[in-house]
Amino acid sequence: AVPAQAEELRIAIGLTGDNGLVRGMQKFADNVAANTDGAYTGKVFPNSLLNFAEAMTGVRDGIADVAFVVPAYNRAEFPNSNLVVDMATASTDPVVMTGAANEFMFSCAACLKEYANQNQVFLGLSSIGPYYLMSKPKVATLDDFKAKKFRGFGPFGRWVEAMGATPVVVSANDVYESISQGQLDGNTHTMDVLKSLSIGEVTDYVLDAPIGLYIGNSLFNLNRDVWDELSPEQKKQFLLAAGDAHGFTTVEYLAENQRYLKDPSLVGVELVEPSPEVAEASAAFRKQDLETVAALNRDKYQIADAEDQVQRMLGLVAKWEKLVAGIDKSDPKAVGELYNSEIFSKVDPASLD
Amino acid sequence: MDSEIIGLLGLGVLVLMLLARVPIGITLITVSFAGIWVLIGPRPAWGILSAVPYEFAAKWTLSSVPMFLLMGYVCYHAGLTQGLFAACRSWLARLPGGLAIASVLGSAGFAAVTGSSVACAAAMGRIAVPEMVQKRYDPALATGTIAAAGTLGALIPPSILLILFGVFAEVPISKLFIGGIGAGALTALLYIALIWVRASLNPELAPREPVTPPLSERLDHLRETWPILLLLVVVIGGMFIGLFTATEAGAVGAFASIVIALAKRALTLSAFWEAVVETLTTTGALFVIAVGANMLTRFLALSGSGELIADSVVSLQADPLLLLLGISALYLLLGMFLDPIGAMLLTLPVLLPVLDQSGIDLIWFGVFLVKFLEIGMITPPIGLNVFVIKGVVGNMASLTTIFRGILWFLAADAVVVALLIAVPGIITWLPGLME
Amino acid sequence: MTLLGRILSWAVTASTMVGAVAVILMMLQIVADVLLKNILSWPLPLTSIFVANYYMVIAAYLPLALTEKLARHISVEILFRYLSARWQRWVGGTVCLFAGIVAAGIAWELWFEAMKRARAGTFIVEQSIVMPIWPTYFVLPVGFGLLALVLFYRFAGTVTGLAGGLGEVPLDDDSIPGEQAGDSHAGR
Ligand code: NA
Ligand code: NA
């Protein structure tokens, strides 16, 4: 046979800078090159080719071959896939959640079909977090929440409300300004935004009460026409490349955030221990919110079996807590191997065609 | 063909199309679309075309563009700034070149309520140039002062150019705004010093007022400045105490200017309509270019020629000072011919990667860049502010006369630019206090 | 030609009106949001969606034709001003035809995108309110389509030398941005 010329895939992410997510995209590129013996390589475009809002249509039209798609930005196109995104409070361990959510997604035919309809192939997701409350004034007791305004969307906004403060939706780019001008008292987000969005410059405290995880990062959505050109063996190898890269991304991102949590002075904040009643209220909310999610998805997004799906996902979270307990979850390689042996190696590539 | 070569060829075609007077926005979109088609095929090319325009415009931060435009146009059409100039004039009349100094201060005041320098030059030109000519000021000095002082419009916040820079470079617009204050104040100060010195050395340029207006009259004039002062208090005060963000300040300012103009009975329906129509046409002209520049960024990224240019520029000029001199020369040249928005949006896709690699502070650079773009507004052969003044004064002064008057201010600008490079704190000190 | 011009002029005026309403509503809603946030601690729901996805999209693209009619699109004047009147007309006409084709192509593509969005029923969720945004995708093909029509009309005018009923500002007009507060606005 004629030796095939290496095809360089355009890999787009709507972020730039040195962080776990951008490195995760590069990891996928490296994995693909290694797994396909160089038949496919990849070049990462950090926020120069597609931004997050354009990623879904961008990979659909082949502007990028692979793109980091956020299904939450396209809820109309991804009603089923967004149910799992809503379950932010099901766990606070990203390593567990990435495993559970991927197992859920690859066995959700309706979800996979949503990707197919957009001319792309789902190759797994990475969950990030947990989200914490970062604030200008010190917040430790339920009283401290009164008459405060914090940024929070979806489940994080509901948490803010449950704790007695007012949730405000402000775009991530406006948070810095809003807090510095006193319009907002704080933000719910991952620890790394203290540095990446400079939020540490305008806040002084982080409440040590993890709220939930962000699950909606479909990192390696692959253009369908590219997928169709792959041989069955290459399809398997792309899946394995993705599984390992999800392990890498989840662990790297978590480690970065843990580092700031361990030494908050790095980003100019102080860690605050929540009062017992705050810890209790937060735990109660996290349980309660899963019922809210089920009701929302059933009533608002017409997913008839939403309750069952939530229960199924909770079962998977319990299963993955056990699986993850058996490995060193700070080792990206071990986590990637677990994802691959449990999920990505078992996915029948034909189910994605 | 190498993709980098396709990218560079695309840039060549772009220049040719611009020279043929194809509108800048259409040029940028066409070249990017065709280039992406050649690089990766028709479907992605159509895909970019269908994704970019909507996603680019549907942004909360960009809403400040039409809002600040509206605020400036309302102030202009309702004549809210006339009182400010009258007050400056009556208080400064006895100074050497007092009227010219008053119009620099008046421009600085109007700059604080408008986002563009053309509006600033037009507003002050209408009021101040006839006044100065009547008082037998040298026409070159009179017109040059207004054209140059107009450039404060985009330097002192609010500023459409700074908003666009913030959006493209992804830096906080509030910091850029605060940074613009230092550069704007320095420019105004040097312009005033220049006028003072020239008028002292050669009193014929600007005959002194024989009498000082009585204190009561001066106080009356001071009272007439309330519309602008109130507007400033509302907008800057509101931002300072945290009632609203820099993005929201445009809407609040536009609303406040309408309320004030109505209270003064200065806003007719047709004046308001003019303000809205100018807001719309300016916004439309601006967005089609911004979308094209946004598409060009993707084309250059895909072709790799953006990186190629950045790498070669950075490796050629490892010294940041040399790099800055090179950039200055580039903008001086572009500014001679191009509209500032076009010049900025045309070059940012190529320039931002260079800046990223060179480690130059982007807040400082944004303001520095706007200073250069504004210098371009008053350099021959195409100086928009100059044309505005020419339109206002009619045959009171020829274009040559106006450019002759401007030469002095360009010398002052050279000093400003040198100071901004030598003492970056002029720009960065105030934004640094925000942290 | 005159009748065509009048119809076009009417369409441009209508689009201007809608644009004007969007700009005014944008101002009022942001101010109301600021007031309510500060007085009642109750931000006006959906403000960011209305401002970004509705008013901004309308204000940015619906006035494209008006901008062309008033000759306010920005181009580079280095060589053009040195051409003879005859050459200016020919170059100007050709550029109008070319720009019109490009604008029509954009409108064509964005029409299909808008139809896709309408079929999907694209929406945004804010504080558990589902807000449809697919209708605003149609603003773009309308804006670029009208722009294309005005450009074709200009081209026809330069080729035939006929004056029309659009009342557009001529291409070689030397009047001044910011000073064009003339009576020709919006075909009044
Ligand atoms: Na200004
Ligand atoms: Na110039």
Side-chain angles (χ1 to χ4, degrees), chain B residues 111 114-115 153 156-158:
Chain B
T114 187
I156 293 175

Side-chain angles (χ1 to χ4, degrees), chain B residues 184-380:
Chain B
L186 177 67
T187 304
L189 222 63
L190 281 180
Y191 284 179
I192 289 171
L194 172 78
I195 295 165
W196 194 315
V197 170
R198 285 192 68 206
S200 303
L201 293 178
N202 181 4
E204 285 195 357
L205 281 177
R208 295 252 195 136
E209 292 277 313
V211 286
T212 311
L215 186 64
S216 62
E217 192 189 316
R218 283 185 284 162
L219 287 176
D220 279 345
H221 278 301
L222 211 52
R223 268 189 287 273
E224 279 308 298
T225 60
W226 71 267
I228 288 297
L229 294 182
L230 179 62
L231 201 51
L232 284 182
V233 168
V234 169
V235 172
I236 296 183
M239 273 170 68
F240 187 74
I241 63 172
L243 291 179
F244 41 79
T245 63
T247 306
E248 293 161 337
V252 174
F255 186 73
S257 62
I258 292 171
V259 171
I260 292 170
L262 286 175
K264 273 195 64 163
R265 299 173 187 283
L267 191 61
T268 61
L269 193 60
S270 76
F272 179 62
W273 179 248
E274 299 301 350
V276 172
V277 163
E278 284 181 31
T279 302
L280 287 173
T281 52
T282 312
T283 308
L286 195 153
F287 268 85
V288 74
I289 297 181
V291 162
N294 195 297
M295 285 177 63
L296 186 71
T297 310
R298 326 291 178 111
F299 168 50
L300 292 181
L302 276 172
S303 69
S305 51
E307 287 163 73
L308 183 75
I309 296 172
D311 287 345
S312 32
V313 168
V314 170
S315 65
L316 269 179
Q317 304 184 325
D319 182 357
L321 184 64
L322 277 177
L323 177 63
L324 281 179
L325 289 179
I327 291 174
S328 305
L330 171 75
Y331 279 105
L332 212 52
L333 189 71
L334 288 176
M336 292 170 77
F337 302 103
L338 294 187
D339 163 273
I341 288 171
M344 179 164 89
L345 295 180
L346 272 173
T347 49
L348 277 189
V350 181
L351 205 59
L352 281 175
V354 179
L355 293 169
D356 261 354
Q357 290 188 21
S358 66
I360 294 173
D361 178 47
L362 282 180
I363 300 288
W364 179 86
F365 184 79
V367 176
F368 180 76
L369 171 61
V370 168
K371 177 67 201 169
F372 258 105
L373 293 171
E374 287 305 309
I375 291 175
M377 298 289 279
I378 53 173
T379 54

Side-chain angles (χ1 to χ4, degrees), chain A residues 53 56-57 60-61 73-77 118 147 149 152 154 158 166-169 183 296 300-301, chain C residues 33-34 37-38 41-43 48 109 113 116-117 120-130 133:
Chain A
M56 191 271 282
T57 55
R60 177 193 75 193
D61 296 336
Y73 286 168
N74 306 283
R75 189 138 202 164
E77 288 83 359
Q118 299 305 322
K149 281 181 280 185
R158 292 197 289 274
T166 308
V168 180
V169 177
Q183 197 186 5
L296 265 181
K300 199 161 268 167
Y301 307 121
Chain C
D33 180 57
V34 165
K37 259 192 296 208
N38 285 294
S41 294
W42 184 74
S48 65
E109 173 63 21
E113 180 66 20
K116 264 185 222 160
R117 297 290 181 161
T122 300
F123 61 83
I124 297 182
V125 185
E126 193 187 283
Q127 288 179 306
S128 60
I129 303 172
V130 175
I133 56 162

Side-chain angles (χ1 to χ4, degrees), chain B residues 122-141:
Chain B
M124 239 2 98
R126 264 192 186 169
I127 315 167
V129 176
E131 181 91 26
M132 284 191 267
V133 171
Q134 193 204 338
K135 296 278 159 61
R136 290 181 295 111
Y137 269 52
D138 172 45
L141 174 67

Side-chain angles (χ1 to χ4, degrees), chain C residues 63-85:
Chain C
L64 288 176
L66 173 75
T67 309
E68 176 57 39
K69 182 184 146 176
L70 300 180
R72 296 278 291 275
H73 280 292
I74 303 169
S75 35
V76 179
E77 307 284 343
I78 305 174
L79 297 181
F80 192 78
R81 50 184 29 231
Y82 298 109
L83 298 178
S84 68

